[in-house]
Amino acid sequence: MTNITEETRPRGRPRSAKAQQAILAAAIELLLERGLHAMSMDDVAERAGVSKATIYRWWASKELLALDALATEWAAPSPNAERDTGSLRGDLLARFRPWLRQLNGKPFGRVIAGLIAEAQTDPEFAKLYREHFVQPRRDATRPLLLRAIDRGEILADTNLEVTLDLLYGPIYHRLLHGHAPLNDRFVQQVIDAVIAAVRSPSTG
């Protein structure tokens, strides 16, 4: 995976893959344990077994490191997420269920909350957050909607961006607020509601 700050990092000696993995692993562990606000570069350096200067050589702030760590944690898709199941409902379930298991496996809610809070006050970070965290997930799901249009399952003039908002919005809402279970039944309900809203009349 290309680091999110690769384009702005000054030229120097090549990054050690072992150090990179140790730093990212330490960062995600601390984020999950303490949240972004309580995590420090000193803590990351100590846990990763590297100097703080080494971390700052590659990440200018703990916020950028946190974003990279979370993107790396969620980078590997399930093989099922890419397959054509023959229906939009099947395709969406195959994509969202592995992510749901990730979300429920660790306390990601407070990690996301910390990143969103930082994005509200730092426009440069907000741009990186959208480009390297929000957009890739939407970009991976958009082809499923296009495939459904080709099958005639949903209307050809379906607003894809609004549909993606409708799919992801409820999941982030429950993740961040914790007011109701974020479980498989809920994901199915969200997917069914969205499909009903954009379904082609010819499919019933």
Side-chain angles (χ1 to χ4, degrees):
M1 173 185 168
T2 300
N3 182 272
I4 62 172
T5 56
E6 192 75 45
E7 65 273 14
T8 59
R9 187 184 302 119
R11 296 294 180 183
R13 60 184 178 180
R15 172 197 293 261
S16 160
K18 185 176 180 180
Q20 175 191 26
Q21 292 169 4
I23 293 166
L24 291 172
I28 196 65
E29 287 174 4
L30 288 164
L31 282 167
L32 291 166
E33 289 173 13
R34 307 176 188 181
L36 179 62
H37 180 72
M39 183 186 85
S40 72
M41 291 297 224
D42 287 313
D43 294 332
V44 175
E46 181 179 356
R47 185 165 299 194
V50 301
S51 70
K52 192 163 65 170
T54 297
I55 301 176
Y56 276 115
R57 185 180 301 123
W58 298 321
W59 290 280
S61 69
K62 72 173 184 179
E63 290 79 15
L64 292 176
L65 172 57
L67 187 55
D68 222 2
L70 184 61
T72 300
E73 179 82 353
W74 286 4
S78 163
N80 287 337
E82 305 302 324
R83 66 188 176 94
D84 184 347
T85 68
S87 72
L88 177 58
R89 187 177 193 274
D91 289 351
L92 290 173
L93 286 172
R95 172 158 295 283
F96 278 79
R97 277 173 166 161
W99 186 42
L100 179 67
R101 287 193 289 271
Q102 279 187 314
L103 292 178
N104 285 322
K106 297 175 183 178
F108 284 110
R110 67 180 174 189
V111 178
I112 300 297
L115 294 176
I116 291 174
E118 180 65 22
Q120 300 308 303
T121 59
D122 184 339
E124 183 178 348
F125 177 81
K127 182 174 181 289
L128 290 171
Y129 174 77
R130 290 190 295 269
E131 289 179 353
H132 297 277
F133 180 75
V134 177
Q135 207 57 46
R137 194 161 296 277
R138 294 170 67 89
D139 289 345
T141 302
R142 192 176 293 103
L144 308 187
L145 301 177
L146 293 171
R147 195 155 67 199
I149 290 174
D150 290 340
R151 293 193 195 106
E153 288 184 272
I154 63 176
L155 295 168
D157 62 352
T158 296
N159 187 316
L160 299 186
E161 298 311 308
V162 171
T163 303
L164 289 168
D165 285 340
L166 293 172
L167 286 166
Y168 283 102
I171 294 174
Y172 281 116
H173 185 61
R174 288 204 176 185
L175 177 67
L176 292 170
H177 296 290
H179 62 287
L182 181 54
N183 53 28
D184 189 74
R185 182 185 178 198
F186 174 66
V187 168
Q188 290 187 55
Q189 290 172 332
V190 169
I191 288 172
D192 288 342
V194 172
I195 291 175
V198 298
R199 181 186 292 125
S200 172
S202 63
T203 63

